[in-house]
């Protein structure tokens, strides 16, 4: 079995439960706070999310059964293959074995579909008819459009104006799946109209788009808001990735020495990593590595602090690693990793010492992605290239140390809609950007006056 | 097992041999003819193709072993899944079971990779260092760029100017895999320079690009030409599709009542169909249907005649269904189906009564593709949509007749690089074009004076 380059499971082996890491945390997650600095209860989120998802958000139950209608959709592309990158290993002349879990096989081309389908389902069960969301590069807008289509909901996507104009293909994908995508800021919300009045030519931002989507959700009939990363329930839906991978590794009688994922909001990383973090909590020896861009080094250089999820501070305060909600990341091509914060659960397990983090420059990531495409054939998303670059670093270290190490990474998505980034790289037009310390300090000033998370106890 | 929506095989179950239908034909294929109207021998092709591929082209041996270095690359994406379109079935309320073989899972996103890898390998074995080819929409140029990269060859692609300008993503993909893609006509060949002198603003054509690629091959050191469809050896490489599908059908204890593929040059159709044609020759009851666009109805309205593969008549004369080498197909979005001729082997088995053919209008195909994307999730290539539309017709007929029919089609490629066609369809900008009889008659005049194929004997 070890000779195969793909480890496949039958559909009956798709995990039937999601894993909730909140059940196993050595210390509990600091609670989200309201504007008054006091912990908020589930009811505060009710205008924005359906109660069944809010229950998942605050749950400390270890396992949550995946409902059959979600499994039925998962079966369209799951179980996803676990592939061995034999040709990459050979090119690197490494004794390490490199495995990658291929989440690019979903219809929208990334792991985002795993939670999009789940969120659409739970909203439908709660009687919701329509979801509103924001999207930056477009991955999440596509995934939610598909999820809503398959669950029979309407979907409205506020897409950052500059991406709306630059990425027409993502917009077309959403439309094919029935998603109604508008450029943000739009004339359809008060938030959008206000900004357009002040800055008619604004390129938009994720923060503005979030404001519009939330306003839409709380003011429209039978509508709720959906988020593609960061929140606890989103990360939990993604654990189907790591749980499936564990079955596949078990099938070939191997266990990884290191588990790697790229991290923007944290959902693909957590989806792969958390089931392995659980193993680690229960005594297993495994390194777990989150990889972020050097231009947006949330985990490696941002403090663990209470901060808002958006610039306008419409969300509750979350305890997380953050560069400050006023931070504007440099325009690197891995749009999905350009977020000032990090999922509270990912931030928390880093603080607990259960995972490591590294920040990589984008040219090293593109170089890694090119080597991958020219050996394994497949073209990775710019976000995914960060995981590949880290895996290659690990493989080189294994070579130096003469160790036959097992390296596992999450191949979160394909790059077929992101080829212009590669073009820029091949034309020598991409540069690396290391966040200057002064800029970081300036950005962090926006955290002054906000409550501080309590230290880890015991 | 029948409950699963995917039928998966292990890598050890990838077919180890290609099937050569020339071994089983009731009547032999009429030979290719030279300019003098006499059959040409293998040596006439030697400046253009390596001898090992020419041997495959003329072989009547039933099975050809797939060399291990090709299998090693196939394992990156093969065995490809056979999927059951349960959600589509449900939407159609049909008693039919619809299965599709998913060839979109290869790195370039279509079946073309199956022969690209093989052709690159055989050329390398023959000592060739570089391949030249033409590409229309870009699918084949991408596949051959990948094949050459993985086999260590250089690759030069002459891409029809209008596609080169309109489809920058395909060009970027080729570049990522090391393919050197230039707009055709180019200044790099005599053929290109001559045309540019006469028509500096020409949008180019496949015929011009073929002329440039062949000139490049015969005048450059260690270079040969590669073709992505039409020829016997290309079709044989694609039979890995049908052979694999037969194993998968056997695994679930089913056999198709009808096998469907779209047909442009004929390679994806033949790859799926020929192993089933063999079954039919040996007495099995199965219908086999080639689907072409109404705008380019080669099999349904073109005569079986000797004709050239290109406008400039640089290729030998092939006995095939043809609309005449002077035919210029309407600019439908399924660029891969816009070819005046049809593979001689596909044409021949139609003439033998072993397969059927149908021509469908493009709006019906887009409507079918939309239904598919909104039920199964995946977005098909415009070419593939022809097979889907035909499968839906068959399913509706099964409903009317109350028959639990097994329908199988080849899902030849995904449409992620072709979303503008869908956009045009959704905007109501696509019209149907049925080739007027007068236009066909005018085009067929170019066949006058050419030799006629002999009638089938016995």
């Amino acid at each position: 079995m070890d000779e195969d380059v793909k480890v496949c499971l039958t559909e009956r082996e798709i995990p039937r439960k999601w894993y909730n890491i909140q059940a196993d945390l050595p210390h509990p997650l600091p609670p989200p706070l309201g504007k008054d600095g006091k912990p908020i209860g589930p009811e505060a989120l009710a205008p924005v999310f359906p109660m069944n998802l809010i229950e998942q958000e605050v749950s400390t139950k270890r396992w949550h059964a995946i409902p059959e209608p979600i499994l039925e959709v998962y079966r369209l592309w799951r179980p996803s293959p676990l592939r061995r990158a034999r040709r990459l290993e050979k090119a690197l002349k490494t004794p390490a074995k490199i495995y990658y879990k291929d989440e690019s096989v979903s219809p929208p081309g990334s792991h985002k579909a795993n939670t999009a389908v789940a969120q659409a389902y739970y909203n439908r069960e709660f009687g919701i008819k329509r979801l509103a969301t924001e999207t930056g590069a477009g991955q999440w807008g596509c995934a939610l459009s598909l999820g809503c289509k398959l669950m029979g909901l309407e979907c409205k996507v506020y897409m950052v104006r500059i991406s709306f104009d630059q990425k027409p293909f993502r917009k077309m994908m959403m439309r094919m799946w029935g998603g109604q995508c508008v450029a943000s800021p739009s004339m359809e919300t008060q938030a959008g109209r206000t900004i357009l009045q002040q800055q008619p030519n604004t390129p938009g931002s994720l923060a503005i788009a979030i404001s519009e989507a939330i306003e839409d959700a709380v003011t429209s009939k039978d509508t709720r808001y959906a988020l593609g990363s960061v929140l606890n329930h989103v990360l939990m839906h993604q654990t189907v990735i790591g749980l499936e991978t564990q079955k596949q590794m078990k099938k070939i009688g191997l266990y990884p020495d290191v588990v790697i994922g790229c991290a923007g909001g944290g959902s693909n990383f957590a989806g792969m990593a958390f089931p392995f973090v659980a193993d680690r909590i229960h005594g297993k020896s495994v390194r777990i590595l989150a990889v972020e861009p050097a231009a947006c080094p949330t985990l490696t250089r941002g403090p663990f602090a209470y901060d808002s999820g958006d610039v306008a501070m419409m969300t509750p305060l979350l305890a997380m690693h953050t560069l400050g909600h006023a931070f504007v990341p440099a325009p690197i091509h891995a749009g999905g990793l350009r977020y000032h914060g990090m999922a509270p659960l990912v931030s928390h397990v880093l603080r607990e010492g259960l995972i490591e983090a590294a920040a990589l420059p984008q040219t090293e990531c593109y170089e890694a992605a090119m080597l991958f495409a020219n050996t394994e054939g497949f073209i990775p998303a710019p976000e995914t290239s960060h995981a590949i670059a880290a895996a290659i670093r690990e493989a080189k270290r294994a070579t130096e140390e003469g160790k036959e190490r097992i390296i596992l990474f999450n191949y979160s998505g394909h790059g077929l809609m992101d080829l212009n980034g590669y073009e820029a790289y091949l034309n020598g037009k991409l540069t690396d950007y290391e966040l200057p310390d002064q800029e970081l300090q300036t950005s962090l000033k926006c955290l002054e006056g906000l409550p501080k998370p309590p230290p880890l106890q015991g």
Side-chain angles (χ1 to χ4, degrees), chain A:
Chain A
M1 206 53 179
D2 188 27
E3 281 187 21
D4 285 5
V5 297
K6 292 184 290 298
V7 187
C8 296
L9 298 175
T10 68
E11 289 169 19
R12 238 143 301 163
E13 292 172 287
I14 297 173
R16 301 275 161 160
K17 293 168 182 172
W18 292 302
Y19 168 65
N20 179 11
I21 199 170
Q22 293 196 71
D24 288 315
L25 292 175
H27 303 86
L29 204 60
L33 306 180
K35 308 247 173 277
D36 56 2
K38 294 197 178 127
I40 58 166
E43 67 291 346
L45 298 169
V48 182
F49 298 109
M51 198 46 76
N52 47 14
L53 284 178
I54 296 173
E55 280 162 16
Q56 291 186 357
E57 184 67 17
V58 301
S59 166
T60 53
K61 199 175 70 164
R62 183 170 287 112
W63 298 103
H64 288 245
I66 307 176
E68 176 54 32
I70 297 175
L71 284 170
E72 193 215 320
V73 174
Y74 279 0
R75 281 185 209 112
L76 290 174
W77 70 90
R78 305 207 73 86
S80 69
L82 177 70
R83 303 180 192 268
R84 179 161 171 201
R86 272 189 186 276
R87 300 175 67 92
L88 175 62
E89 290 169 17
K90 208 188 266 180
L92 293 169
K93 297 191 182 73
T94 178
K97 292 180 178 176
I98 306 175
Y99 287 88
Y100 64 102
K101 177 69 167 169
D102 188 0
E103 290 295 308
S104 78
V105 297
S106 77
S110 83
H111 69 288
K112 293 280 184 194
N114 296 324
T115 186
V117 170
Q119 291 190 47
Y121 168 79
Y122 284 108
N123 274 281
R124 184 183 76 183
E125 289 307 288
F126 194 68
I128 303 302
K129 309 273 187 235
R130 182 173 170 276
L131 288 179
T133 197
E134 76 289 331
T135 198
Q139 275 281 16
W140 170 242
C142 287
L144 193 66
S145 296
L146 175 71
C148 285
K149 171 56 76 176
L150 297 183
M151 291 298 171
L153 270 67
E154 285 179 54
C155 183
K156 176 71 168 253
V157 182
Y158 294 87
M159 185 172 187
V160 177
R161 160 66 74 185
I162 188 163
S163 298
F164 185 90
D165 293 337
Q166 286 176 353
K167 303 214 168 192
F169 278 5
R170 282 276 173 213
K171 193 170 57 189
M172 290 179 203
M173 262 176 114
M174 290 180 226
R175 187 173 174 199
M176 281 202 64
W177 287 319
Q180 201 204 336
C181 175
V182 293
S184 166
S186 75
M187 289 299 285
E188 304 187 22
T189 65
Q190 190 54 51
R193 284 189 295 270
T194 305
I195 288 160
L196 280 176
Q197 213 164 21
Q198 297 161 351
Q199 317 167 45
N201 298 316
T202 174
S205 75
L206 211 47
I208 297 170
I210 293 178
S211 304
E212 288 202 88
I214 294 179
E215 180 186 325
D216 183 326
V218 300
T219 59
S220 306
K221 192 161 171 289
D222 299 332
T223 300
R224 288 294 182 280
Y225 171 67
L227 195 63
S229 190
V230 178
L231 298 180
N232 304 342
H233 68 277
V234 181
L235 273 51
M236 186 180 78
H237 298 156
Q238 296 294 357
T239 59
V240 67
I241 301 171
L243 295 168
E244 218 174 74
T245 306
Q246 288 183 326
K247 287 192 182 189
Q248 286 162 313
M249 290 304 263
K250 199 170 168 188
K251 204 162 190 173
I252 50 173
L254 295 177
Y255 192 86
D257 293 295
V258 56
V259 178
I260 300 168
C262 64
S267 77
N268 100 74
F269 168 76
M272 171 58 98
F274 281 3
F276 290 97
V277 173
D279 284 356
R280 195 177 152 132
I281 290 171
H282 295 109
K284 197 112 187 169
S285 166
V286 52
R287 287 177 53 222
I288 300 159
L289 177 62
V291 190
E292 56 188 13
C296 191
T298 319
L299 286 169
T300 49
R301 294 177 60 197
F304 185 83
Y306 267 113
D307 194 8
S308 171
D310 66 316
V311 180
M313 301 195 72
M314 289 182 71
T315 74
L317 295 172
L318 302 170
M320 58 182 178
H321 279 279
T322 178
L323 301 169
H325 56 265
F327 182 72
V328 181
I332 55 167
H333 273 277
L337 305 183
R338 295 179 66 235
Y339 185 63
H340 72 275
M342 179 58 67
L345 278 171
V346 172
S347 301
H348 188 74
V349 295
L350 177 65
R351 196 182 180 215
E352 294 268 18
L354 292 166
I355 66 166
E356 307 162 31
L360 299 193
Q362 75 173 349
T363 54
E364 177 180 342
C365 297
Y366 270 102
E367 190 188 348
M370 285 297 299
L371 178 61
F372 187 88
N374 283 327
T375 51
E376 297 296 309
F378 298 101
I379 299 175
E383 290 81 4
T384 310
S385 74
H386 289 70
I388 299 172
I392 289 175
R393 281 191 180 189
E394 291 289 335
K396 286 181 177 168
R397 217 156 56 78
T399 311
E400 283 162 22
E401 298 172 9
K403 293 265 172 69
E404 205 193 85
R405 208 164 269 150
I406 312 290
I407 300 166
L408 168 67
F409 70 88
N410 194 15
Y411 189 85
S412 53
H414 66 63
L416 298 185
M417 319 299 274
D418 308 285
L419 294 171
N420 38 7
Y422 285 98
E423 183 83 346
Y425 170 73
L426 291 172
N427 288 338
K429 288 194 178 149
L430 287 195
T431 49
D432 286 329
Y433 179 82
E434 186 126 0
L435 177 64
D437 198 55
Q438 176 134 24
E439 193 183 325
L440 174 59
Q441 295 311 325
T442 307
S443 169
L444 291 177
K445 283 196 183 131
C446 67
L447 298 179
E448 283 170 15
L450 295 178
K452 301 273 173 267
L456 288 178
Q457 283 158 353

